[in-house]
Each structure stands twice: as C-alpha cells, then as structure tokens.
Amino acid sequence: MTQVQTPFYLIDMAALRANMEKVARLRDASGAKALLALKCFATWSAFDFMRDYMDGTTSSSLFELRLGHEEFGKETHAYSVAWADHEIDEAISYSDKIIFNSLGQLDRFADKASGIARGLRLNPRFSTSGFDLADPARPFSRLGEWDIARLDAALDRISGVMIHYNCENGDFDLFDHQLSRIEAEFGDILHKLDWVSLGGGIHFTGDGYPLDKLADRLKAFQDKFSVQAYLEPGEASITKTATLEVSVLDIINNGKDVAIVDSSIEAHMLDLLIYRETAKLPQQGEHPYQIAGKTCLAGDIFGEARFDAPLQIGDRISIADAAGYTMVKKNWFNGVNMPSIAIRELDGTIRAVRSFPYADYKASLS
Ligand SMILES: Cc1ncc(COP(=O)(O)O)c(C=O)c1O
C-alpha cells in the first residue's frame, strides 16, 4: 500500500491505457485525429504516456495552450472564447491552428495569425447537452457563429471550423443523426474547408460503444467533404481513470451516521456540486453513512455510501471518477489541504508526483 498522505487523486495507468487504446483504434480506423481537451484534464504528469495515443492538445485559454505546447507537444490547437490584444502574439507562437470564436475576433486578429492555420467556431444551434449551464446551443449562446452570411464572410481567411455540440453523448445514432443535420445545413461551407473539428463530448470509450460504426461515419464525413476531421475528447480520454482517496476524520450521528473526511466536494470535486450530482461512493454492505467534507459549507456533502463494516476513524474511502473536470477545478476554499497527485503505474506501484504545501496556498493569493 502507498505511503501517500490522503487526500490525493490517484490516476490508474492501466485504466488510462484501456481508454487510450480505444482512442488509438478510432484514429487508425477513421483517419480522424484526436486532441486532448485540456479544460477537462490537464494533469501533465500523464502526458508522456498519453502522447503516443493522441495527436496533440486543444485549449480554452493562453495558459492551457502553453501547457499543451510545452508538456504534450505534437499538434496544438488554440481556442478561446475571446483573445485579448496582449495575449494574441504569444498564443500564435504556441499554435499550429488558432480557432476564433466570433467573426469579430477573426477580423481583429486574422492578419496577425496569417502564418498559421486559422479557423472559426461554428455553432449548429443544437446540442446533446441536458444542462442549460453547459449547453452551447442555449438561447443567446455566445459560443460560435451560425449565420451563413457571417460564416461565408470568414471563408477567405479560414481553412477550418470547430463545432462542439456533444456532451457525454453515448448514443451513436444520435451522433449520426446530428452530423447529418450539420452536413445538410452547412455542407456548402464544409466543402470549402480543409479541416473540421467536431469538438468533444462523444462518449466513445464507454462500455459497449460501437467504435467501428463511429469510425466508418467519421471516414464517410471526411471523404464527402475532403476534410481532415478532428475530435477533442476530454471526458472520453480519461473517464474512470482516477479516484479521490480520502480518510475518515470523525464520525457523528445527528439522526444518521455521518463520516467527515479530510477532503471537500466544494474544493476537490466542485463539478459535482455545480451539476447537483453526488460522488461515486462505495455502495456494498449493511452499514450506511453520509460522506461529508471538512469545510464550513453546510452542503459540503459527497453523498451516501454503504460499507461492509462500521467505519473507523482513519479508514480510507475511494471516490470514483475523479479525473475529468475535477482536478482542473480544485481550489483552496477554507484553506483545506489540496489533494496531492499520485500515479498507479502499470506494475501496480504508486508514485506521488505532486503535493501542494502551505507555500502553494499562500502563493495563490497575496
Ligand atoms: C470546444 C470544446 N472542445 C472539447 C471539449 C471537451 O468535451 P468533453 O470533455 O465532453 O469531451 C469541450 C467541453 O466543454 C469544449 O467546449
């Protein structure tokens, strides 16, 4: 067993390899390229391993872009909802392609970026997102252009578009149907391009996903429009590859048994709170507990769990699915110890790769 002090995120390289092998299979069978979306997972200690299976990275800010360029390499796509004047030269210096979110940003920066491939975000005005908060097609969405006249006005300066409209979509038929809509509605534009990124959100590493059908569909799309397709898998790349390891600090009973752990959903799994989901906790056994965090927030509750035996102070609990949109959102709320990062290597050994001492907390403010 490891000596790493809880709390820590634990990345399992065997699970990561299983996902990466699916990514590589899809690339080989379809000819599409796969870029890791750093907004979802930017734990760069894993990049040396992931690099062999993927084509590069895509980004949502200057810092993500720089990290992808420095630590992952290969092909680097730059995207931001809005670039600032003081960022643009540096952004271009790291990028193979830059994707502007609006015609206004393209107008402003197209000349500066003329030495690299330029693209525009296309918003098809539909998506698979069930959450308004994360729906790029929500009313008045600022994410991309959809008006054909405005897209046409960009064509003399762009060689591709990025269309992100899927969200944890594990339904191939829905993907197929929506891609056909895009082909029908935007086909005239797609025919004039060299590359099309279909964004992230396709859950193709999930159990039972028809990977071969997806590969054939992507191949047909590329052949029809003579374009290079890109995918930007975030969640699909790292789903089920990490846990958050915590220890029980106290057990109280206020009508139900509550185990307080040395972590916090607010600080260490914030995405679950935002989307009002509960953490994936052990569910086997006769002994139920609510698992709660140690911040002052009354609702700092990971969720309900069950165990084979009564919990004891010091017991370890493993919270599943702690990679995507989790480590990237950790924060210093309440000054609670930030989880370290550890890797379970393919041979089972556990290696601590990063801890966040008081100096990091202090340096995050002034
Ligand atoms: C433009 C873009 N690309 C890729 C992704 C990654 O999506 P996912 O993690 O669902 O694969 C996102 C997620 O919001 C995105 O906005």
Side-chain angles (χ1 to χ4, degrees):
M1 221 26 189
T2 169
Q3 299 301 310
V4 184
Q5 173 66 57
T6 59
F8 63 95
Y9 298 104
L10 179 59
I11 304 171
D12 187 294
M13 295 311 259
L16 184 59
R17 181 171 63 183
N19 286 354
M20 288 294 106
E21 283 173 350
K22 288 186 183 173
V23 174
R25 224 179 95 200
L26 181 64
R27 288 166 66 215
D28 287 350
S30 68
K33 295 187 178 182
L35 306 175
L36 177 65
L38 296 184
K39 72 189 69 188
C40 173
F41 182 79
T43 307
W44 45 274
S45 327
F47 288 179
D48 282 345
F49 182 79
M50 299 173 87
R51 189 180 299 115
D52 287 344
Y53 300 89
M54 302 189 78
D55 295 285
T57 56
T58 188
S59 52
S60 29
S61 66
L62 180 61
F63 285 177
E64 279 188 3
L65 170 63
R66 179 174 173 178
L67 187 74
H69 172 74
E70 284 181 1
E71 294 297 332
F72 201 111
K74 299 181 85 171
E75 191 165 343
T76 309
H77 283 202
Y79 168 73
S80 167
V81 169
W83 297 105
D85 285 4
H86 64 84
E87 294 178 323
I88 194 72
D89 290 333
E90 190 182 349
I92 290 164
S93 77
Y94 302 135
S95 316
D96 295 290
K97 291 186 176 61
I98 187 161
I99 298 154
F100 296 103
N101 182 65
S102 70
L103 188 59
Q105 285 256 305
L106 178 71
D107 287 344
R108 188 168 186 82
F109 298 123
D111 287 349
K112 277 186 180 280
S114 59
I116 59 172
R118 295 164 299 186
L120 190 61
R121 180 165 182 170
L122 189 163
N123 185 332
R125 295 225 268 182
F126 52 79
S127 84
T128 71
S129 176
F131 290 102
D132 195 40
L133 182 65
D135 183 1
R138 62 189 269 147
F140 310 109
S141 173
R142 70 197 186 295
L143 302 174
E145 298 281 358
W146 60 81
D147 183 84
I148 299 286
R150 289 176 68 82
L151 289 162
D152 276 343
L155 280 178
D156 58 338
R157 289 160 293 167
I158 62 170
S159 56
V161 289
M162 185 269 279
I163 318 173
H164 172 73
Y165 61 106
N166 285 282
C167 182
E168 297 198 29
N169 180 11
D171 179 347
F172 170 74
D173 291 335
L174 177 59
F175 172 77
D176 178 27
H177 170 74
Q178 291 195 332
L179 189 56
S180 298
R181 265 181 82 178
I182 288 172
E183 291 176 334
E185 288 176 33
F186 300 100
D188 289 347
I189 287 164
L190 302 185
H191 273 299
K192 296 177 185 144
L193 300 173
D194 301 330
W195 54 273
V196 175
S197 172
L198 295 171
I202 311 169
H203 207 55
F204 63 85
T205 52
D207 292 339
Y209 191 93
L211 213 52
D212 295 330
K213 280 189 179 175
L214 177 62
D216 290 348
R217 185 67 181 88
L218 291 171
K219 206 167 177 317
F221 175 77
Q222 294 177 108
D223 290 346
K224 183 168 181 179
F225 297 102
S226 302
V227 290
Q228 171 66 56
Y230 287 84
L231 300 178
E232 304 179 358
E235 191 62 49
S237 305
I238 47 68
T239 187
K240 296 188 181 160
T241 61
T243 53
L244 174 61
E245 301 290 318
V246 302
S247 296
V248 176
L249 298 180
D250 196 10
I251 298 171
I252 57 171
N253 186 301
N254 283 333
K256 67 163 44 169
D257 286 324
V258 179
I260 299 170
V261 298
D262 55 357
S263 178
S264 156
I265 190 166
E266 165 90 6
H268 306 155
M269 289 194 129
L270 180 61
D271 210 46
L272 295 177
L273 261 197
I274 293 173
Y275 289 99
R276 303 194 187 287
E277 291 172 357
T278 57
K280 292 182 181 146
L281 292 157
Q283 296 299 339
Q284 299 298 321
E286 295 303 304
H287 301 274
Y289 289 84
Q290 180 177 88
I291 307 301
K294 63 174 282 181
T295 72
C296 62
L297 182 75
D300 190 355
I301 296 166
F302 285 96
E304 306 297 322
R306 302 186 78 85
F307 301 92
D308 286 331
L311 284 179
Q312 308 292 330
I313 306 298
D315 278 356
R316 170 83 75 83
I317 300 173
S318 203
I319 306 176
D321 237 348
Y325 301 99
T326 304
M327 298 155 93
V328 290
K329 292 194 178 189
K330 62 187 166 49
N331 62 70
W332 284 111
F333 181 57
N334 266 214
V336 174
N337 280 354
M338 191 170 269
S340 310
I341 299 173
I343 289 180
R344 184 188 285 119
E345 301 288 4
L346 292 172
D347 66 5
T349 56
I350 291 178
R351 180 167 62 93
V353 291
R354 182 85 157 95
S355 62
F356 301 94
Y358 170 72
D360 288 332
Y361 166 63
K362 191 172 179 186
S364 73
L365 294 164
S366 72

